Amino acid sequence: MKNTIKFLFFAVTLMLSANTMAQSIVTGTVLDPETNEPLPGVNVIEVGTTNGVSTNFDGIFSLKSTSVDGKVAISYVGYEKKTVSFNGNTSLGNIMLLSNNTLEEVVITGSGIIDLAEDRNTPVAVSTIKASEIREKAGNWDLPEVLKSTPSVQNIKGGGFGEGSMFLRGFDQTNTAFLLNGQPINGMEDGKMYWSNWSGVLDVANAVQVQRGLGSSKLAISSVGGTVNIVTKTIDRREGGFVQQMVGNNDFTKTTAYYSTGVNEKGWSFASLLGHWQGDGYVDYTAGQGQTYFFSVGYQPNENHTLNFLITGAPQWHAAAGRGSIGTFLENGRRYNDWNEAGVNSPNLIGGRYPGGRNIYHKPVSNLTWDWTINDKSELSTVLYGSLGRGAFASLITDRNTGEALYARGSNNNHNWFGLVTNYSNKLSETLSLNVGADVRTYNGIHFRGVTEFLGQDSVNTGSTFLGDYTINEAYGINPWEMVFNTNTTAADRMSYNYEEVITYYGLFGQLEYSKDAVSAFFQGAISNQDHLVTNEFNYEDSRESEKVSNLGYNLKAGAAYAINDSNKVFVNAGYYSRQPFHDNLLDNNRNSVDLIKPAVENEKITGLEAGYQFGGEMISANLNVYHTIWDNRTVPNSNGENQESATYEAYQNQGQKQVHSGVELEVFTRPMENLRVNGFLSLGDWKYKGEVTRRTFNADGVEIGEQEKIDIDGLNVGGAAKVTGGVNANYEILPRFSVDGAWNWYNDQHSEGPYGQDTPPLSLPSYQTVDAGVSFKALVGKEKQNSIQFRVNINNVFDEVYLESVFGTEAASSDPSQNYKGINKDNNGRFGYGRTWNTSVRFNF
């Protein structure tokens, strides 16, 4: 027995000694090739193992390997992954990571939730904008402006602050899924995005990834155009921060400050950002102002668990801009804003006038994420989130006889939104991996009208059929901070309408992926259900509640890829969606009744096919994608406007609408010289309607009027966005840390929006192009040059191009040339794009 114990002791000692002898220490320093600065937080993983470390503040790493020789994979946000071999105790010296437009890995919590294309070996059509580019190009714009140099994306700026919109492959942004750290942020009622509510999101963005078409989403969502993933800061590995001051055209000013403690020895980290902006707006009388706040707390009790809590918001108000006739703009200039009345005695005048429309909103968003590394093969990521939306669109109400301003009437759209997203991943074998997840949301929308601000009087007399006559004496105000805590919700302070809805969404997701050598393939499926319940508390003696409506939907995706060699890869993906209609399309009249649409609205049917080719070289890389999307059985609020015969407001809804979007996208990235980068893209699309639709017409009160019509739309062009887009952007480093850049964008084959029919087809709009330019300089400061001061200047639309950004209407060109503008009848409504604008900033990084 003693001999046996001695033998086992000897054997264990021998194995431990052999293991110790086999170990080696690999060290190195990771640098940015453009600035020669160290990159902290870079991930260094021993290939074939889970053994890894991160670089420190000076970009240095030291990895203890269990092998005498092998390879390490080095990856960082916005840089190309690099694999380096080692043999024994090795110093790899300085390692330069080349910058690119892909997103290899983001060091944040909830990483298993966020839908990054690099999480899957089978590719999708994707473009990534990293933090440095966002910081330089964003300026005083919203997210769509930053994305305009990616294929099949068009940004429509709109009139006032935050009123822009985005098209992706010809689909508007209600049909593109936007995610913030894995949290869906499109409106649950109608899919809309209001960028004024997210004015601070780019200040805290680590990266933004645009997945066109089918994408690689891990949620049970059915986005048609694609998915935009906004990845924000959470846990920063190192201590530091910045202070930035920006000024721009039309008295724009913005001050931002950020600080992070880094991760301390006990695993805690704290980060916060505060900002304030204000400006007069490019369009006349569209002043606005707002704040941005962000606060994050992270905790890593051990290497297997990471938790993070964050809260962010962007309270703001801004005056809106109306959309007038083309002729009116030509007479008054493209800055003209016809949505204003004469000045009144009010403390809230803008340029001597009270705005005809003012948006006021505050949407605090918070989430708690938990990442759990269960073992070497499996992980669980969970995000619990919530948001409270409070605000209104305030319209000026005047005396019909005298024109005197009486009060501002607010159309309030409040909500309470809570949800949970969780994802479990397991590497079943060397070739097979599994992802399963769940997405649960509940949304309570609260809608009513009330007095935002009294102007020429201090009370309003109103009433309804069932409530009788009453007087409103209380105003909700125009302060977005106060609106969040305003509990004044009695019927006595509301007018016109007062209703609520509860939407409950729950979905399951699953994906199986196979990857071996040059071949990868995946199959993905999701199923979801939506419950809808509406309560009307205004037009009935007692609160009236609708029947609960449930809609079941699902989607299926599959794809495969083949790596021809290290530089060439091809792929093909296909998908089918049965997508539930938006909540607002389910109701016959959401303001004044709780009845459902008759006939009942059925699910939309979406079929997507796409294929691609990827080439990656040292000096040039390229992506080529083709797509074909069929979108059938749509229910869509097609348009609204004024009936020319009766001079009354009308809104239209199309049922059974079908459209087909096909196209080709090419994206090229080149580095002809060490200090020069030139990138370009070209998108060729063909988007047409098919068959006929059933059109319903509603008056200003939302009541259906007239007979339902069958409208032939077969072969008509889909309007709103340009079918052909292209662009070239370049960055040239003249001296170390001093560079200039420029971007040219071209838009062609765009059509108007409107209530189409064969007798009233969409109009073909003139093409246009814009040129943007910028200059950047970074000065290293401090004893060890660890801090820096960055200077940036942006000039958009350098040559002050005059162009029609969007047109709503179908009025054909007049036979009198003087009544047309570039072939478009001046009586059509529309909006011209912004002229030359600029902003400049100075930023101190510490």
Side-chain angles (χ1 to χ4, degrees):
M1 183 64 179
K2 290 182 178 180
N3 289 336
T4 302
I5 294 175
K6 289 180 180 180
F7 174 79
L8 292 174
F9 177 77
F10 176 76
V12 170
T13 303
L14 183 63
M15 286 188 291
L16 290 174
S17 299
N19 188 56
T20 302
M21 291 174 63
Q23 289 180 344
S24 55
I25 305 296
V26 183
T27 61
T29 304
V30 184
L31 303 173
D32 184 308
E34 299 178 14
T35 63
N36 209 38
E37 293 180 344
L39 294 175
V42 176
N43 293 282
V44 183
I45 306 293
E46 185 177 359
V47 176
T49 74
T50 58
N51 180 33
V53 295
S54 297
T55 58
N56 62 15
F57 178 76
D58 298 315
I60 299 172
F61 70 88
S62 179
L63 176 69
K64 182 180 291 185
S65 171
T66 57
S67 304
V68 176
D69 55 21
K71 296 179 180 180
V72 291
I74 304 168
S75 61
Y76 193 54
V77 176
Y79 293 82
E80 293 181 4
K81 181 183 287 186
K82 194 167 190 174
T83 302
V84 183
S85 301
F86 66 87
N87 192 334
N89 293 329
T90 304
S91 174
L92 301 178
N94 291 337
I95 302 168
M96 302 291 183
L97 291 186
L98 295 179
S99 176
N100 68 4
N101 85 315
T102 63
L103 187 62
E104 294 291 348
E105 186 175 349
V106 177
V107 185
I108 58 168
T109 60
S111 57
I113 295 298
I114 297 174
D115 302 316
L116 301 179
E118 283 77 5
D119 291 343
R120 196 174 71 193
N121 291 322
T122 308
V124 295
V126 62
S127 300
T128 302
I129 297 89
K130 60 183 182 179
S132 59
E133 184 177 352
I134 295 171
R135 184 170 61 246
E136 290 184 346
K137 300 293 180 66
N140 50 356
W141 300 111
D142 298 310
L143 177 62
E145 178 72 14
V146 179
L147 303 181
K148 71 178 183 181
S149 288
T150 58
S152 296
V153 171
Q154 184 173 0
N155 170 43
I156 305 297
K157 292 185 179 66
F161 287 106
E163 292 183 1
S165 61
M166 187 187 100
F167 287 85
L168 181 55
R169 288 185 174 175
F171 302 107
D172 67 24
Q173 59 190 22
T174 64
N175 297 294
T176 295
F178 291 89
L179 305 176
L180 179 68
N181 291 341
Q183 171 186 341
I185 58 176
N186 294 74
M188 284 194 67
E189 300 171 15
D190 50 20
K192 291 183 179 179
M193 285 292 299
Y194 297 96
W195 292 109
S196 56
N197 300 338
W198 304 97
S199 60
V201 70
L202 294 181
D203 294 325
V204 293
N206 267 329
V208 177
Q209 188 176 86
V210 182
Q211 298 175 16
R212 299 181 295 277
L214 295 172
S216 62
S217 173
K218 297 176 183 175
L219 300 180
I221 58 176
S222 299
S223 54
V224 184
T227 305
V228 177
N229 301 279
I230 306 167
V231 182
T232 72
K233 294 176 179 291
T234 47
I235 293 177
D236 281 351
R237 295 185 183 276
R238 70 177 185 90
E239 180 182 8
F242 68 84
V243 178
Q244 177 172 297
Q245 178 62 50
M246 178 185 296
V247 294
N249 56 278
N250 300 98
D251 291 331
F252 179 85
T253 180
K254 180 178 181 180
T255 305
T256 311
Y258 171 79
Y259 174 70
S260 170
T261 65
V263 182
N264 64 23
E265 295 179 355
K266 295 184 179 180
W268 287 94
S269 61
F270 301 87
S272 61
L273 178 142
L274 294 173
H276 174 84
W277 67 269
Q278 63 185 53
D280 291 340
Y282 178 82
V283 176
D284 292 340
Y285 313 115
T286 55
Q289 69 174 38
Q291 293 78 41
T292 299
Y293 59 88
F294 169 89
F295 181 70
S296 175
V297 181
Y299 179 53
Q300 297 172 299
N302 53 54
E303 61 182 10
N304 294 327
H305 297 273
T306 302
L307 295 101
N308 192 92
F309 172 79
L310 74 80
I311 183 169
T312 185
Q316 61 80 40
W317 66 261
H318 71 272
R323 180 168 54 183
S325 71
I326 295 172
T328 303
F329 279 107
L330 293 174
E331 292 174 6
N332 298 277
R334 53 186 158 174
R335 295 176 183 263
Y336 179 70
N337 184 3
D338 65 344
W339 206 347
N340 284 280
E341 300 294 339
V344 295
N345 184 21
S346 166
N348 298 304
L349 299 180
I350 295 175
R353 300 185 181 188
Y354 192 91
R358 186 200 301 260
N359 178 286
I360 312 146
Y361 217 80
H362 187 184
K363 182 184 174 72
V365 177
S366 64
N367 65 49
L368 176 64
T369 64
W370 171 39
D371 283 342
W372 176 22
T373 303
I374 301 172
N375 52 46
D376 293 344
K377 296 183 178 181
S378 59
E379 296 179 348
L380 178 68
S381 291
T382 303
V383 177
L384 178 66
Y385 64 86
S387 71
L388 303 176
R390 298 291 186 270
F393 185 86
S395 302
L396 181 63
I397 305 300
T398 61
D399 188 289
R400 293 183 178 181
N401 296 318
T402 66
E404 178 187 0
L406 301 177
Y407 62 95
R409 183 190 65 197
S411 299
N412 292 63
N413 295 301
N414 301 345
H415 73 248
N416 305 311
W417 186 351
F418 304 97
L420 174 74
V421 182
T422 186
N423 182 270
Y424 170 76
S425 62
N426 191 313
K427 191 168 181 58
L428 302 176
S429 67
E430 291 299 319
T431 60
L432 208 59
S433 59
L434 173 69
N435 258 282
V436 294
D439 174 14
V440 180
R441 312 172 220 163
T442 180
Y443 176 95
N444 174 213
I446 307 161
H447 307 277
F448 59 91
R449 276 183 175 170
V451 176
T452 302
E453 184 179 12
F454 289 108
L455 300 172
Q457 58 189 46
D458 55 11
S459 64
V460 174
N461 295 322
T462 187
S464 75
T465 303
F466 298 101
L467 295 177
D469 297 330
Y470 58 96
T471 300
I472 296 178
N473 299 298
E474 297 291 333
Y476 286 87
I478 64 169
N479 188 320
W481 288 93
E482 294 178 356
M483 280 190 165
V484 173
F485 306 103
N486 192 337
T487 58
N488 184 5
T489 59
T490 64
D493 296 310
R494 301 181 179 184
M495 63 176 71
S496 300
Y497 59 85
N498 178 16
Y499 68 95
E500 295 187 20
E501 73 261 332
V502 175
I503 307 171
T504 306
Y505 177 99
Y506 33 98
L508 297 174
F509 159 88
Q511 175 181 284
L512 195 63
E513 183 175 26
Y514 169 85
S515 180
K516 183 178 182 181
D517 300 328
V519 177
S520 68
F522 78 95
F523 176 78
Q524 190 182 106
I527 187 170
S528 61
N529 189 77
Q530 289 186 164
D531 292 333
H532 305 262
L533 190 67
V534 178
T535 304
N536 194 312
E537 300 179 354
F538 186 75
N539 287 307
Y540 300 98
E541 295 181 76
D542 300 313
S543 177
R544 182 74 63 89
E545 187 175 274
S546 72
E547 296 181 4
K548 181 187 290 187
V549 178
S550 295
N551 298 89
L552 187 69
Y554 65 90
N555 62 60
L556 300 171
K557 301 180 189 177
Y562 176 69
I564 301 170
N565 51 42
D566 290 341
S567 301
N568 298 273
K569 179 181 283 189
V570 293
F571 68 90
V572 60
N573 298 320
Y576 178 80
Y577 299 157
S578 176
R579 190 179 95 160
Q580 299 100 326
F582 288 131
H583 173 84
D584 281 359
N585 293 333
L586 288 171
L587 299 180
D588 193 10
N589 181 345
N590 57 5
R591 293 182 178 181
N592 297 315
S593 76
V594 292
D595 298 327
L596 297 178
I597 282 179
K598 299 178 180 61
V601 176
E602 298 178 350
N603 282 8
E604 299 169 359
K605 302 172 183 178
I606 304 154
T607 304
L609 300 171
E610 60 186 26
Y613 164 71
Q614 297 178 340
F615 170 77
E618 292 185 5
M619 298 182 64
I620 183 172
S621 59
N623 300 315
L624 177 66
N625 304 296
V626 296
Y627 65 90
H628 184 78
T629 304
I630 302 172
W631 193 2
D632 200 0
N633 203 40
R634 290 192 65 190
T635 296
V636 56
N638 180 262
S639 60
N640 57 68
E642 186 175 282
N643 185 305
Q644 298 298 322
E645 296 181 3
S646 61
T648 58
Y649 172 91
E650 290 184 357
Y652 310 98
Q653 182 191 70
N654 287 351
Q655 291 183 325
Q657 182 170 297
K658 180 179 181 179
Q659 56 197 74
V660 178
H661 292 226
S662 301
V664 181
E665 302 162 337
L666 175 64
E667 195 171 20
V668 180
F669 309 91
T670 70
R671 196 182 186 98
M673 297 187 295
E674 187 65 29
N675 58 343
L676 175 64
R677 284 177 292 169
V678 181
N679 305 326
F681 73 93
L682 179 64
S683 304
L684 306 175
D686 183 28
W687 312 325
K688 296 287 180 61
Y689 292 105
K690 299 293 182 182
E692 63 179 16
V693 297
T694 300
R695 177 171 295 166
R696 308 175 73 208
T697 304
F698 301 85
N699 63 18
D701 294 323
V703 177
E704 186 171 5
I705 57 177
E707 298 291 330
Q708 295 184 9
E709 301 176 81
K710 292 291 184 180
I711 306 294
D712 182 14
I713 60 172
D714 190 61
L716 297 182
N717 290 291
V718 176
K723 296 181 180 181
V724 179
T725 62
V728 177
N729 60 85
N731 182 289
Y732 179 67
E733 187 177 38
I734 303 172
L735 297 170
R737 299 180 299 280
F738 177 55
S739 63
V740 295
D741 57 82
W744 169 76
N745 285 80
W746 171 56
Y747 304 93
N748 189 34
D749 199 13
Q750 183 174 346
H751 293 82
S752 66
E753 301 173 85
Y756 303 147
Q758 291 293 344
D759 296 332
T760 54
L763 307 174
S764 179
L765 307 187
S767 63
Y768 66 92
Q769 55 188 320
T770 60
V771 175
D772 304 330
V775 179
S776 294
F777 175 67
K778 178 189 286 188
L780 303 181
V781 296
K783 291 183 178 180
E784 300 180 0
K785 305 295 185 183
Q786 74 274 25
N787 301 327
S788 65
I789 300 178
Q790 291 177 268
F791 299 90
R792 175 70 184 179
V793 176
N794 287 307
I795 302 177
N796 290 71
N797 196 0
V798 174
F799 300 109
D800 204 27
E801 173 93 354
V802 178
Y803 61 94
L804 276 171
E805 184 179 59
S806 62
V807 171
F808 179 86
T810 57
E811 187 71 25
S814 172
S815 57
D816 180 359
S818 66
Q819 300 302 309
N820 300 326
Y821 172 76
K822 294 185 177 182
I824 303 294
N825 193 312
K826 295 179 183 179
D827 289 337
N828 288 291
N829 281 346
R831 173 157 293 284
F832 283 82
Y834 284 17
R836 185 186 299 112
T837 60
W838 62 272
N839 61 76
T840 182
S841 63
V842 58
R843 177 184 178 116
F844 175 59
N845 300 297
F846 59 90

